[in-house]
Amino acid sequence: MEKVILSRPYSFEGKEYTELTLDLEALTGKDMIEAEKETRILLRDNPPLAETSKAYLAVLAAKAAKVPLDLIVGLPVKDFSSVTMTVQNFLFDYPSGLDGSGLN
């Protein structure tokens, strides 16, 4: 499980979040296919490479954290980026804290 510490407390539907726990290991191929479908509906388009689409990564993050997508997309930009990069790093098998660019 991956834990993302939020930069500041975030309130959503009456609950305060200071961190999100993403159970990425529990996701299945079915989850990925469903996430692609949800992303197409959300964007009204097909992302060229789903694994690099912030929308797709947000949908997978919501599934992994077992929270509504609106919680993920409503996060402050820094936290949204941290969450989606955590998912992307998992998918591309990058160690935590790296983005694969070699610049970290």
Side-chain angles (χ1 to χ4, degrees), residues 12 14 27 30 41 43 52 59-60 62 69 73 83 88 99 101 103:
F12 181 80
L27 294 175
K30 182 178 178 183
I41 292 167
L43 297 178
T52 62
V59 172
L60 275 182
L69 177 60
V73 299
V83 168
Q88 187 176 53
D99 64 9
S101 68
L103 301 176

Side-chain angles (χ1 to χ4, degrees), residues 21-74:
T21 301
L22 308 175
D23 190 1
L24 296 164
E25 294 283 345
L27 294 175
T28 65
K30 182 178 178 183
D31 292 317
M32 292 181 81
I33 291 168
E34 288 173 1
E36 282 187 66
K37 290 177 187 176
E38 290 178 46
T39 303
R40 281 196 294 279
I41 292 167
L42 185 66
L43 297 178
R44 296 189 178 119
D45 196 8
N46 288 326
L49 178 60
E51 287 81 357
T52 62
S53 163
K54 287 290 187 186
Y56 174 75
L57 296 169
V59 172
L60 275 182
K63 289 180 179 303
K66 296 178 179 56
V67 298
L69 177 60
D70 285 344
L71 184 152
I72 301 295
V73 299

Side-chain angles (χ1 to χ4, degrees), residues 2-6 19-22 24 54 57-62 65 67 71-73 75-90:
E2 298 286 335
K3 190 174 287 194
V4 178
I5 306 299
L6 303 179
E19 65 186 30
L20 291 172
T21 301
L22 308 175
L24 296 164
K54 287 290 187 186
L57 296 169
V59 172
L60 275 182
V67 298
L71 184 152
I72 301 295
V73 299
L75 289 169
V77 70
K78 182 176 180 177
D79 294 325
F80 177 79
S81 184
S82 292
V83 168
T84 55
M85 287 301 297
T86 298
V87 176
Q88 187 176 53
N89 290 345
F90 173 82

